[in-house]
């Protein structure tokens, strides 16, 4: 009966109660939403590259190698010679190897020379392969496949010409050897979206007339002459390696790291990604702290609402007292009300979260390549909900104690 | 003293706070089943006296017996329970929880008084009977209290005071919010139902015209002295 009266009392103040509950619901939805995005971002980040067992490059730091080979951030300090590359490729425990050659750019996007193997072996988000959304992969020497962001930012479509710049942020263009867009990749949410992919030979081809980073003066070599030349590269920037058996990964890693002819570095992508996330992850903690503050604010809002209702409810408390309710009953009535508001708010917040997720998921996926999983509420979310209810109870004790003192002093007589 | 439902002896009460004044009640009692009208102007200490009787305030000195129990021997929570069991309270107005139904309001004191609940038997049936006896239409039973007229609200308050047959009904100016015609009708049912339920009635008022219906009329100044501290 007391519960029913508490609900009836809340219903009588429907508007303010609804506002309070809504504030709690929104704050809980925000908090859990940030949690979802955070774990989603972390998972998406870890899913940037999968299926690759080792990344091989010149000896530097593992995060640095990961940054330039996968995220196209920063530059390689050194290259891997073609001989070393072939040595590794020839090993029995290497099932496949894909070379990567970086260094040129197109507008703000990096150009990457590689082989057809890249489209076969580069996997993201737990083994998803790259898909060509429009056109096909390179067939001609001067063909290029561009990522989804490159196409959308620069407004390119299949068969458009592209001129590659020498180096990064450079004014020297490889004008004499324009490329043709042969294909556009589907959005992946990985750095591939921001990459212009050409064949390894094409990288050599556009540098035929170049020496020590500068164009040789004189007539440029015509394209049909270049086509007849031997375009075997002298070096590559890095290589993605797949091993025949996962058990051989560590042995191969050690063998490459101890390769006598050249200082090389082989890294496990997963480990390096973890290491990198450790640096990036500080921001997510800050975000979480901010949304926790929003929940606290909503609860303090509820406390203020209860406080302001106390005076107009003096008569109600006097009636309860006259009927034999003790001040403790008054206190527990108010705490019960707060608990109901917090509980309804928290559950509503959870519902809002799922509604928001189901609406936003396709948009977030296509816009940011962030895949937000929709699962049943995890233990963690149930805990958050419970903690919000508990915090609501604790916060409501402040006005409830005031009501206790008021009803003790007023007794059943209220002068109105 | 089973024949006296209420007995105050040598009671002194000093208000805490700035407006310090003392209320003294040397000797005042109400017999079982008696209807008493306590007349007094505002500021004569009526409300304080009622609070002492109901146990929401405690006398500094002297004894307050309700149904033979010295209130000072009970704890705070004990006095609250005791009040729920033994006393039916009717206010001037705003007696009811506006958001509760009429039934909720009538049954509310039973929530805090298990013995009184037992005495009420089938509480809902008893409440329906009381409503009928008080001239309340039965279809009001499940309506929310705030939709009722003041006269209906006061009758619901009487039903709530009487349910479970507490031996003492305390009414604080229950007619002052009613017009003259309703006052007479209300007093008639109040006294008739109090008698029908074998309860005693202590009603406080400033209106001497109501005197004729009561067994006994007492003036506040005859039973209590107020001493204001000359500041």
């Amino acid at each position: 009966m007391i519960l029913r009266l508490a609900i009836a009392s809340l219903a009588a103040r429907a508007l303010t109660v609804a506002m309070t509950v809504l504030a709690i619901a929104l704050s809980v939805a925000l908090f859990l939403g940030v949690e979802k995005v955070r774990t989603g971002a972390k998972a998406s980040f870890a899913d940037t590259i999968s299926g690759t067992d080792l990344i091989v490059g010149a000896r530097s730091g593992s995060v640095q190698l990961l940054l330039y080979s996968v995220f196209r951030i920063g530059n390689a300090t050194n290259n891997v010679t073609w001989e070393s590359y072939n040595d590794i490729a020839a090993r029995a425990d290497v099932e496949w190897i894909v070379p990567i050659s970086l260094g040129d750019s197109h507008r703000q996007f990096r150009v990457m020379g590689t082989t057809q193997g890249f489209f076969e072996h580069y996997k993201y988000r737990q083994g998803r392969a790259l898909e060509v959304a429009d056109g096909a992969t390179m067939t001609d020497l001067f063909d290029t496949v561009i990522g989804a962001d490159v196409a959308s930012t620069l407004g390119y479509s299949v068969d458009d010409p592209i001129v590659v710049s020498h180096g990064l942020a450079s004014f020297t263009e490889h004008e004499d050897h324009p490329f043709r867009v042969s294909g556009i990749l589907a959005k992946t949410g990985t750095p591939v979206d921001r990459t212009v992919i050409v064949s390894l030979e094409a990288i050599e081809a556009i540098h035929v007339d170049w020496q020590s980073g500068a164009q040789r003066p004189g007539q440029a070599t015509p394209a049909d002459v270049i086509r007849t030349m031997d375009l075997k590269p002298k070096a590559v920037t890095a290589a993605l390696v797949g091993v025949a058996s996962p058990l051989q990964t560590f042995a191969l890693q050690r063998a490459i790291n101890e390769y006598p002819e050249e200082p090389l570095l082989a890294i496990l992508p997963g480990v390096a990604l973890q290491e990198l996330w450790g640096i990036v992850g500080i921001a997510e903690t800050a975000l979480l702290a901010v949304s926790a503050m929003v929940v606290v604010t909503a609860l303090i809002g509820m406390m203020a609402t209860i406080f302001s209702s106390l005076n107009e409810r003096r008569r109600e408390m006097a009636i309860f007292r006259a009927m034999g309710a003790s001040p403790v009953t008054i206190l527990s009535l108010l705490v019960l009300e707060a608990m109901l508001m917090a509980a309804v708010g928290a559950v509503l917040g959870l519902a809002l979260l799922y509604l928001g997720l189901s609406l936003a998921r396709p948009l977030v996926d296509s816009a940011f390549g962030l895949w937000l999983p929709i699962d049943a509420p995890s233990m963690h979310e149930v805990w958050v909900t419970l903690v919000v209810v508990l915090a609501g109870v604790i916060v409501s004790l402040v006005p409830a104690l005031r009501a206790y003192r008021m009803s003790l002093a007023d007794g059943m007589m209220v002068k109105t | 003293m089973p024949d006296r439902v209420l007995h105050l002896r040598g009671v002194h009460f000093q208000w805490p706070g700035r407006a310090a004044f003392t209320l003294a009640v040397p000797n005042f009692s109400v017999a079982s089943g008696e209807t008493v009208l306590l007349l007094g102007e505002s500021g004569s200490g009526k409300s304080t006296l009622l609070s002492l009787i109901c146990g929401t305030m405690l006398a500094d000195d002297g004894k307050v017996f309700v149904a033979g129990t010295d209130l000072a021997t009970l704890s705070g929570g004990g006095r609250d329970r005791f009040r729920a069991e033994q006393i039916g309270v009717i206010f001037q107005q705003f007696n009811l929880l506006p958001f509760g139904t009429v039934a909720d309001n009538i049954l509310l004191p039973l929530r805090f008084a298990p013995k009184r609940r037992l005495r009420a038997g089938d509480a809902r049936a008893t409440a329906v009977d009381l409503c009928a006896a008080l001239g309340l239409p039965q279809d009001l039973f499940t309506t929310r209290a705030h939709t009722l007229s003041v006269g209906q609200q006061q009758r619901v308050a009487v039903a709530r005071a009487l349910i479970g047959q507490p031996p003492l009904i305390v009414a604080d100016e229950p007619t002052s919010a009613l017009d003259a015609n309703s006052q007479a009708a209300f007093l008639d049912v109040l006294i008739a139902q109090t008698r029908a339920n074998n309860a005693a009635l202590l009603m406080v008022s400033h209106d001497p015209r109501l005197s004729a219906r009561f067994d006994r009329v007492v003036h506040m100044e005859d039973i209590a002295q107020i001493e204001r501290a000359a500041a």
Side-chain angles (χ1 to χ4, degrees), chain A residues 1-2 4 321 326 412, chain B residues 47 54 80 83 91 104 111:
Chain A
M1 181 179 187
I2 290 293
R4 211 155 47 79
R321 288 282 279 139
S326 64
M412 30 182 254
Chain B
S47 297
C54 290
D80 291 325
R83 173 170 67 255
F91 293 121
D104 287 335
R111 169 68 183 69

Side-chain angles (χ1 to χ4, degrees), chain A residues 60-69 71 73 265 267 271-273 275-277 279:
Chain A
S60 58
S62 60
V63 169
Q64 195 193 358
L65 175 55
L66 183 78
L67 279 176
Y68 71 72
S69 67
F71 292 95
I73 297 169
L265 175 70
I267 58 166
V271 175
L273 280 167
E275 209 176 312
L276 189 53
W277 185 256
I279 302 164

